[in-house]
Amino acid sequence: MEDSNRSSNPSIHEISEPSRRIVLQGSMMVALAPVLGALSACASTKSPLTAGPRPGFRSVAASTADGLSVAEGYSAVPSFMWGEPVGLYGDMPAFKPDGSNTAAEQAAQIGMHHDGMHYFPLSGSQRGLLVMNHEYTDDGQLHADGMATWSAEKVRKSMAAHGVSVLEIEDRDGRWQLVRPSRFARRISASTPMALSGPAAGHALLRTAADPLGKRVLGTLNNCAHGHTPWGTYLTCEENFIYYFNGPEQPDAHENRWGLRPRERGIRWHEHEERFDAVRHPHEPNRFGWVVEIDPMDPTMTPIKRTALGRAAHEGAWVTQTADGRAVVYMGEDAQFEYLYKFVSRDRIQPGGFSANRDLLDHGALFVARFDADGSGEWIELRHGSQGLSQANGFADQGEVLIKSRQASDLLGATKMDRPEWVAIHPTNGEVYCTLTNNTRRGTAGHPGPDAANPRANNNMGHIIRWKEAGDFDARRFTWNHFVLAGDDSVARAEAKGNIKGDLYGSPDGLWFDARGLLWIQTDASASTMNKGEYTRMGNNMMLAADPATGETRRFLVGPVNCEITGAVCTPDMKTMFVNIQHPGESPGERSDPADPSRFSTWPSGVKGARPRSATVVIRKKDGGIIGT
């Protein structure tokens, strides 16, 4: 994972009283009385949780099998796989299992490596649009001969497999199927024209030779998690975008802070798509790392990169609203020692859908979180001219503050977190939860040590933090505690034991509250970690359900070998759940051998030699009941 934060803003240890610190000493975690106890008390007295829904199914066993297992009484059907035609009129190429589809064909097919998604009803729970992200590609699987004979055609195909798919789906005779052709069907990729809007649009740091006005970008990429708005639009988020750019041998301070390196990750797009060569086009990376708004109901709409929400390695963007109707967007940045953000719109949400709220996300205030050791916290505004965000410190205007949001957050003293990923907002009490997936560099030489919010050195297991705003969602202060520290209490190392109440898991990533208030947790342990060392008893990546009031957690689903479980949404009647299986059979090196594509997995086909394929699993209760009961 990216690790680019070498800022000197103080840690909680440096600004808190010794009695408030979390200390890892010997084989014991010394913190329970002064800090964690206080935080638990804070949570129970200031934001009480009444008894909520409990998982109503029996836990499924951990597994290392190359298959998908789901709780007893449920069915799980792989659907909407990488390479299926999305349903464009007159352009529905079939998937070729040997990887020989062309770039033009892939541009009309479902992308690779499914991630966040949302269901937009057209006819209630019977027909709707399933909009999903495609995070990245495994070029060893995507092309017949992998990255051999690297070419412009292969770059175009890889770019076409990124982005977003808009799929019309319907329940026909008890089985969800694609509607093809569909007037809604669309593929958005790394080549799709997009607009830049908000305070940074047109900024000098966004201008390039191809776009001298700095207001039009080609493409979106590394689309991880997502969001959806009350006015009916989809938000896709650009995460590890920096890996796609070839950087200089000696990056400047700005490039270095954003992790730009020469030949990073060996993606090699820059060899045939010049704009990804940041040596020649140094402003092009600044045009990525944004939240992108899409109207799924209008396939002609130009997607918009909303700069008011700040630039980051965005995991996702989760929207709620204040009592007076303003939008609030929570955003995590999935990189080691990076930050949590909140955006509050200036204006109120208006009835009338996207057309009535077209500019809503262009005006408002952006904040970054500081978690204090006493269980309180503060949202600090990233506003030019305030708290040192001035020309003297490298911020000429608000646009530059947003483009350099990391540097601004460094200066403001925000808390360096352990990879903040998905956010989920409790549907009734307003508590906000965030997964912190892991951070094995925490406490190592040259890196920040444990602090109250991130209490474990070599945090390979991750945790989930939660907070309650001091008033409405636009509040500047909050109280917080840990919902859970993931881990296995049978291992020797104290920092990996955790405090799970129920089934074991590590590396929590996906997070979602259903309408009843049941918290769904999805894991993303890497292929190089899974079923080894302290993860030996965990099995493959999984999806669990937790009672937020008691912490009771049960394993609901286990995926095939080396996959990630990600994305979760239900139909309005809560009788169908959609869950994504990303990169089944992923190589520990993240790039497969095209000569042996099924070395680690054959899911979902089960055919030896076949390419494994990301897919959406359609889950139903066999008795027709509510998911999770």
Side-chain angles (χ1 to χ4, degrees):
M1 296 303 302
E2 188 198 344
D3 172 22
S4 304
N5 194 344
R6 297 296 182 270
S7 62
S8 58
N9 57 310
S11 72
I12 289 177
H13 284 305
E14 295 168 305
I15 62 174
S16 65
E17 299 176 11
S19 63
R20 290 290 185 184
R21 298 176 185 171
I22 287 185
V23 181
L24 299 177
Q25 180 177 336
S27 62
M28 297 183 64
M29 211 178 257
V30 183
L32 300 180
V35 179
L36 294 182
L39 300 183
S40 297
C42 172
S44 63
T45 57
K46 295 186 180 180
S47 53
L49 278 167
T50 57
R54 298 179 62 190
F57 53 85
R58 294 180 182 177
S59 294
V60 64
S63 171
T64 60
D66 188 30
L68 191 143
S69 54
V70 69
E72 181 181 354
Y74 288 81
S75 64
V77 180
S79 308
F80 319 138
M81 303 173 196
W82 159 48
E84 291 189 50
V86 297
L88 303 177
Y89 282 90
D91 192 5
M92 291 189 281
F95 175 72
K96 296 177 181 178
D98 64 354
S100 63
N101 282 109
T102 66
E105 289 170 337
Q106 177 62 76
Q109 296 171 327
I110 296 174
M112 202 177 206
H113 289 1
H114 303 15
D115 211 309
M117 64 179 163
H118 189 67
Y119 176 85
F120 294 86
L122 294 174
S123 299
S125 299
Q126 297 299 309
R127 186 172 68 94
L129 301 183
L130 191 65
V131 185
M132 72 173 72
N133 291 344
H134 305 291
E135 185 178 4
Y136 68 103
T137 57
D138 177 348
D139 288 287
Q141 300 279 9
L142 183 65
H143 314 292
D145 62 350
M147 297 189 75
T149 61
W150 194 238
S151 66
E153 168 69 7
K154 287 183 176 180
V155 171
R156 286 192 293 269
K157 184 177 181 183
S158 183
M159 292 171 66
H162 283 70
V164 177
S165 291
V166 180
L167 310 174
E168 183 179 354
I169 60 173
E170 68 177 354
D171 183 357
R172 298 177 189 161
D173 302 320
R175 184 181 179 91
W176 283 89
Q177 299 180 48
L178 285 164
V179 176
R180 292 187 296 220
S182 167
R183 66 185 181 90
F184 298 104
R186 187 178 187 186
R187 277 302 324 282
I188 295 166
S189 74
S191 301
T192 302
M194 306 200 169
L196 283 158
S197 70
H203 196 279
L205 290 172
L206 298 182
R207 298 173 192 162
T208 65
D211 176 30
L213 298 180
K215 292 186 176 182
R216 187 175 177 83
V217 183
L218 286 180
T220 185
L221 48 79
N222 213 255
N223 306 86
C224 199
H226 69 298
H228 62 96
T229 67
W231 53 94
T233 58
Y234 183 80
L235 304 178
T236 186
C237 299
E238 299 173 335
E239 192 193 36
N240 294 308
F241 63 91
I242 204 67
Y243 295 140
Y244 294 79
F245 291 91
N246 175 56
E249 294 294 337
Q250 294 183 324
D252 63 25
H254 173 58
E255 293 168 333
N256 196 55
R257 182 62 185 87
W258 288 86
L260 184 63
R261 302 288 185 271
R263 300 169 298 279
E264 186 65 55
R265 289 282 175 107
I267 292 175
R268 300 176 61 190
W269 284 7
H270 71 282
E271 296 178 18
H272 297 284
E273 187 73 14
E274 184 183 301
R275 62 192 172 101
F276 290 99
D277 188 348
V279 177
R280 303 177 68 178
H281 302 282
H283 289 174
E284 190 69 24
N286 296 334
R287 294 147 64 85
F288 292 84
W290 304 103
V291 175
V292 184
E293 186 172 17
I294 300 166
D295 182 359
M297 301 297 173
D298 180 6
T300 68
M301 176 257 190
T302 299
I304 302 171
K305 298 196 177 190
R306 300 292 186 184
T307 67
L309 276 63
R311 179 169 170 256
H314 281 295
E315 176 71 21
W318 290 271
V319 185
T320 186
Q321 61 188 74
T322 60
D324 65 0
R326 287 171 295 133
V328 176
V329 187
Y330 291 101
M331 298 165 284
E333 181 166 21
D334 182 13
Q336 293 170 329
F337 305 109
E338 296 301 346
Y339 303 117
L340 261 168
Y341 296 93
K342 177 172 80 171
F343 171 83
V344 180
S345 72
R346 181 193 67 188
D347 303 323
R348 297 180 182 182
I349 300 167
Q350 300 298 318
F354 175 62
S355 61
N357 296 279
R358 175 177 291 273
D359 301 324
L360 189 79
L361 295 180
D362 286 341
H363 307 285
L366 182 67
F367 303 85
V368 66
R370 189 188 73 226
F371 291 81
D372 294 332
D374 62 358
S376 67
E378 181 180 358
W379 292 105
I380 310 168
E381 187 175 0
L382 280 75
R383 177 165 54 87
H384 184 256
S386 173
Q387 302 188 71
L389 299 180
S390 63
Q391 177 76 53
N393 289 320
F395 303 98
D397 48 36
Q398 184 64 15
E400 190 158 3
V401 169
L402 296 169
I403 293 166
K404 297 180 177 178
S405 57
R406 284 185 176 179
Q407 294 96 314
S409 299
D410 295 342
L411 185 65
L412 295 173
T415 302
K416 303 170 185 176
M417 306 297 284
D418 285 351
R419 293 182 55 202
E421 297 217 46
W422 288 58
V423 171
I425 304 163
H426 195 286
T428 58
N429 68 18
E431 284 201 329
V432 187
Y433 290 61
C434 178
T435 51
L436 297 154
T437 297
N438 55 51
N439 185 355
T440 56
R441 290 191 173 99
R442 174 76 64 178
T444 61
H447 295 85
D451 60 36
N454 307 274
R456 297 189 286 185
N458 184 15
N459 179 18
N460 67 333
M461 292 292 182
H463 54 287
I464 300 175
I465 201 166
R466 62 182 171 187
W467 62 91
K468 179 74 172 178
E469 303 284 10
D472 209 339
F473 288 111
D474 63 342
R476 299 292 186 95
R477 301 286 306 180
F478 59 89
T479 54
W480 67 271
N481 73 349
H482 293 111
F483 174 63
V484 67
L485 304 180
D488 181 350
D489 61 5
S490 74
V491 302
R493 190 170 65 93
E495 296 92 336
K497 287 181 176 291
N499 60 3
I500 293 172
K501 297 178 182 178
D503 294 325
L504 303 179
Y505 63 93
S507 297
D509 187 345
L511 199 66
W512 178 67
F513 271 111
D514 68 24
R516 298 188 306 133
L518 197 61
L519 182 63
W520 296 88
I521 303 166
Q522 300 169 318
T523 69
D524 182 21
S526 69
S528 59
T529 299
M530 232 178 297
N531 301 309
K532 302 177 182 71
E534 292 169 339
Y535 274 75
T536 297
R537 297 205 308 149
M538 298 284 187
N540 297 341
N541 279 315
M542 66 192 76
M543 182 171 180
L544 310 98
D547 177 352
T550 66
E552 178 193 356
T553 304
R554 298 184 189 178
R555 190 182 298 106
F556 177 71
L557 175 150
V558 179
V561 170
N562 292 359
C563 80
E564 172 187 348
I565 308 295
T566 183
V569 67
C570 278
T571 51
D573 63 8
M574 294 181 64
K575 294 183 178 181
T576 299
M577 174 183 274
F578 304 102
V579 174
N580 279 333
I581 306 298
Q582 186 187 111
H583 60 66
E586 179 184 55
S587 167
E590 297 189 0
R591 188 166 287 134
S592 299
D593 178 0
D596 189 10
S598 62
R599 177 181 175 187
F600 296 102
S601 176
T602 62
W603 193 88
S605 72
V607 177
K608 184 63 178 175
R611 280 165 161 72
R613 298 166 70 184
S614 293
T616 303
V617 175
V618 179
I619 300 172
R620 283 177 150 170
K621 201 171 183 187
K622 292 179 179 177
D623 65 4
I626 302 297
I627 301 292
T629 59

